[in-house]
Amino acid sequence: MKVVHFVPSLVKGGGERAVVDLSNWQIDNGHQVTVVAGWKVDESLLRHQLDERVDVVYITESGTRWSRYLAGVSWLLRNRKWVFRQDLIHAHMTWSAVLATLIYYWRRSADFSKPFVFETYHAVGMPISRMARWVHSRMAKRRDVLILMADDAYWSAFRAAHPTLDAEVILNGLAQPRIAARKDQDVEEYRQSAGAPDSGSLIVGSIGRLVAERRPELVIHAFAKIAEELEGRVHLLFAGAGPQVRALRTLVQEYRLEDRVHFPGLALDPALPLALTDVYISVNVGPVTGLAAVQAAFCGVPIVGIQLVEDYRPAQEDWIWSSTDIAAVAAEVTRLLEDPDARSALGASQRAYAYENLTIDRMGRSYELLYDRARARRGLATGSN
């Protein structure tokens, strides 16, 4: 099978990491894979983690937001013969969704049998504008298969209103080798560079893109309550980069926690900050969390979640307890920090869940089943190639 993943750029983010891991899994399972990135960024961020057998195409190396959309359309026009020789187009995020919608209409107007058009929608539950969500949903109808990385009230209603659309929820999976344990010397060097305290202090950790829609300020609010309860015994290691860093630093100053909150920047190797972390705070959408929290689980670090879905009620089967109540989140983290046995037990149970349900192999095979189902609907032979 000839698979093409469209992604805006290969930056450090959950959706982008999913593209890399899924591409590597597919190449290992006999597919021919190409990643088409809208614009080129520093290849040490993520590009170097792609298998060398995966072809990478950059459409442009710079440009404004709108010029990048125009460059994408222009590229499609120039390469449309190549595009229609592929078996599967898989779009990730808004820039790619626009191009996938054009491909879908062009295929239908030409009455071609391929490529199939898939989209993985990564913004479920995110606090985006109503207009953006409406645009996303209009494009989502023009898919052979729509994959949601989580579910919420809006997208549940959308699926119910479009019963003929093949839409499924598939949790993001993770390739475990990336989070293998690191040498003590590497961890100690990271500790010093991050400005984190020595091993005598408790550390709350979080990793993510520091952008407004991820609500990183909620982690600071929760930590302020934890710090108030535990006084000088706890620090926050908040790894990540993004436009919200300045606002987060200002918030830390307002809480007078400058000596207890550390921003080490982008975590190229998440295993390093996780090796220092006693309890991890995630930001969840319903029962689903980001890949950084999955990495924490694979490392055996216990996780407590801040919930973004306002009317969500924790279910017994949730593998990460979460709440919209920041005070409740802070109390749960504080309880775990004060109880090493509880931390160890929770970390072990969450690790077991991650290995059972959140591997890249499970995710990849779920996508394979969807592809075979789409082929069967068209009356084509099924199979992985």
Side-chain angles (χ1 to χ4, degrees):
M1 177 171 67
K2 296 178 181 179
V3 180
V4 181
H5 290 279
F6 280 82
V7 63
S9 61
L10 292 170
V11 297
K12 292 285 285 187
E16 292 83 358
R17 287 200 302 271
V19 171
V20 168
D21 284 349
L22 183 57
S23 297
N24 290 342
W25 187 91
Q26 289 171 332
I27 208 82
D28 282 339
N29 283 270
H31 301 298
Q32 180 179 322
V33 183
T34 302
V35 172
V36 176
W39 50 95
K40 189 174 184 178
V41 296
D42 184 350
E43 294 194 337
S44 67
L45 295 176
L46 203 59
R47 165 67 177 87
H48 70 289
Q49 294 177 1
L50 273 169
D51 189 292
E52 62 182 9
R53 294 170 294 173
V54 176
D55 293 327
V56 178
V57 176
Y58 295 113
I59 290 180
T60 183
E61 297 203 8
S62 61
T64 64
R65 176 184 179 185
W66 296 114
S67 70
R68 289 166 174 171
Y69 279 92
L70 293 174
V73 174
S74 177
W75 183 90
L76 279 183
L77 289 170
R78 296 194 309 273
N79 294 276
R80 59 188 180 276
K81 290 183 179 179
W82 177 83
V83 169
F84 286 101
R85 288 197 297 267
Q86 308 310 304
D87 297 306
L88 172 63
I89 300 298
H90 195 152
H92 305 264
M93 289 161 280
T94 305
W95 175 87
S96 305
V98 170
L99 300 189
T101 302
L102 292 176
I103 293 170
Y104 179 87
Y105 278 122
W106 288 346
R107 187 198 70 194
R108 291 191 64 181
S109 65
D111 198 26
F112 291 157
S113 62
K114 64 180 187 179
F116 289 102
V117 179
F118 279 36
E119 180 185 353
T120 295
Y121 187 72
H122 298 271
V124 178
M126 292 293 110
I128 60 177
S129 70
R130 290 184 179 180
M131 177 58 71
R133 187 178 287 115
W134 181 84
V135 171
H136 292 171
S137 66
R138 299 287 75 74
M139 292 192 294
K141 293 192 295 183
R142 277 68 184 174
R143 304 289 181 258
D144 295 297
V145 178
L146 174 68
I147 302 99
L148 305 169
M149 51 74 66
D151 208 355
D152 63 12
Y154 180 89
W155 288 100
S156 292
F158 174 85
R159 293 165 66 191
H162 302 89
T164 60
L165 175 65
D166 194 350
E168 296 286 345
V169 175
I170 296 180
L171 304 183
N172 279 343
L174 185 68
Q176 297 93 347
R178 182 175 300 156
I179 48 81
R182 294 298 182 260
K183 296 179 181 179
D184 291 344
Q185 181 180 350
D186 295 335
V187 174
E188 184 56 34
E189 289 177 355
Y190 183 83
R191 180 197 300 277
Q192 294 178 13
S193 67
D198 61 29
S199 56
S201 298
L202 295 167
I203 295 182
V204 175
S206 195
I207 302 171
R209 293 176 60 202
L210 304 182
V211 296
E213 58 266 27
R214 306 277 179 171
R215 301 297 304 278
E217 74 280 2
L218 297 179
V219 176
I220 304 297
H221 292 316
F223 179 74
K225 294 183 180 297
I226 297 166
E228 182 179 358
E229 184 69 24
L230 296 179
E231 298 178 343
R233 294 182 288 151
V234 64
H235 290 248
L236 172 64
L237 187 62
F238 204 167
Q244 292 298 106
V245 172
R246 179 176 296 181
L248 294 174
R249 289 188 182 276
T250 299
L251 185 59
V252 168
Q253 291 173 356
E254 292 174 0
Y255 278 121
R256 299 182 179 179
L257 291 171
E258 298 95 319
D259 60 337
R260 310 263 290 283
V261 177
H262 311 275
F263 294 99
L266 193 65
L268 292 177
D269 184 354
L272 294 175
L274 290 172
L276 302 174
T277 299
D278 294 295
V279 178
Y280 185 94
I281 296 180
S282 65
V283 178
N284 290 9
V285 177
V288 179
T289 193
L291 283 183
V294 177
Q295 291 172 319
F298 279 124
C299 288
V301 179
I303 308 161
V304 175
I306 296 172
Q307 182 57 242
L308 291 186
V309 179
E310 293 183 2
D311 59 351
Y312 186 76
R313 296 292 180 267
Q316 187 173 1
E317 61 270 18
D318 286 0
W319 72 287
I320 297 175
W321 178 88
S322 65
S323 176
T324 57
D325 185 344
I326 296 300
V329 171
E332 179 64 9
V333 173
T334 300
R335 181 186 72 83
L336 291 169
L337 290 172
E338 293 183 315
D339 189 341
D341 291 338
R343 289 204 307 271
S344 179
L346 180 59
S349 66
Q350 290 175 332
R351 186 174 187 268
Y353 179 91
Y355 271 99
E356 177 67 24
N357 298 282
L358 302 174
T359 64
I360 189 59
D361 188 62
R362 180 154 184 162
M363 175 182 169
R365 294 190 185 284
S366 296
Y367 276 107
E368 290 282 274
L369 289 174
L370 288 183
Y371 177 69
D372 283 345
R373 193 165 75 196
R375 289 174 63 88
R377 283 203 315 273
R378 294 266 191 91
L380 302 173
T382 61
S384 61
N385 292 297

